[in-house]
Amino acid sequence: MTRSASIQRKTNETNIELELNIDGSGQSQLDTGVPFLTHMLDLFAKHGQFDLTVNANGDTEIDDHHTTEDIAICLGQVLKEALGDKKGIKRYGNAFVPMDETLAQVVIDLSNRPHLEIRGAEFPSQKVGTFDTELVHEFLWKFCLEARMNLHVIVHYGQNTHHMIEAIFKAMARALDEATTIDPRVKGVPSSKGML
């Protein structure tokens, strides 16, 4: 059974079509209108072994905020839908990713309790290209909120803003790949509550 979902979200600010296949092979087709975010989503798909399609049109003539936020909302919603009842998943994921001078760690719990913690991600630059680096927090928060997961991000060290953000997205992909993996030893839902 392929775990996948799609969504179309249209507002006065953005029009987004997004499809996610958890059990993919790292393929992506991305048109976001936000070049740096496109780059990060491509890395996310590749390192998580997810198939991801995003077609987004937003008011980027104002800035990248609405498009970035709404893509994160859509990605979180389709992840939650694609996971279904979460039977048999590992639930937890942890990944360290180095990127030259940077080391990032992401820890995930697909707990149905949204929470974001970020440590050490004080980016030296306010922009990467035209992308406002404060939007990284916005993306991560909306993603974990809509996916209803615990997301803990730690940048242990780093100096280059691009490297720091890239390491976060790669680590998040790998941690999520681990958390969503079906473990044949897990019977039912991995929780003493009997549900997630």
Side-chain angles (χ1 to χ4, degrees), residues 99-104 120-124 155-161 163-164 167:
M99 179 73 190
D100 295 351
E101 85 299 339
T102 296
L103 180 65
E122 289 82 33
F123 302 122
V155 179
H156 291 281
Y157 41 82
Q159 296 176 344
N160 181 286
T161 300
H163 292 168
M164 293 166 74

Side-chain angles (χ1 to χ4, degrees), residues 41-184:
L41 292 174
D42 182 49
L43 297 171
F44 174 78
K46 180 69 69 179
H47 288 271
Q49 294 297 304
F50 309 126
D51 290 344
L52 178 63
T53 301
V54 181
N55 290 302
N57 290 298
D59 54 1
T60 54
E61 71 280 2
I62 297 172
D63 67 8
D64 296 336
H65 185 108
H66 295 141
T67 302
T68 301
E69 178 181 29
D70 288 4
I71 288 173
I73 288 170
C74 290
L75 185 61
Q77 289 177 353
V78 295
L79 174 63
K80 183 176 183 296
E81 182 181 344
L83 282 170
D85 60 14
K86 301 180 184 174
K87 287 183 178 175
I89 65 167
K90 287 190 172 182
R91 176 180 168 178
Y92 298 99
N94 178 37
F96 287 87
V97 168
M99 179 73 190
D100 295 351
E101 85 299 339
T102 296
L103 180 65
Q105 179 185 13
V106 172
V107 185
I108 287 173
D109 177 11
L110 296 172
S111 61
N112 203 36
R113 296 188 308 276
H115 188 82
L116 174 64
E117 289 289 338
I118 302 180
R119 298 286 184 268
E122 289 82 33
F123 302 122
S125 301
Q126 292 183 338
K127 283 186 178 289
V128 177
T130 60
F131 186 81
D132 293 317
T133 55
E134 67 179 11
L135 294 178
V136 174
H137 182 279
E138 192 68 27
F139 182 94
L140 296 174
W141 167 231
K142 293 303 166 47
F143 180 39
C144 81
L145 180 65
E146 296 295 334
R148 298 194 59 81
M149 66 181 175
N150 268 218
L151 179 60
H152 293 250
V153 176
I154 305 162
V155 179
H156 291 281
Y157 41 82
Q159 296 176 344
N160 181 286
T161 300
H162 187 134
H163 292 168
M164 293 166 74
I165 298 170
E166 184 165 331
I168 289 169
F169 271 80
K170 287 177 176 177
M172 181 169 67
R174 290 180 173 269
L176 191 58
D177 180 41
E178 180 182 1
T180 59
T181 296
I182 299 292
D183 184 340

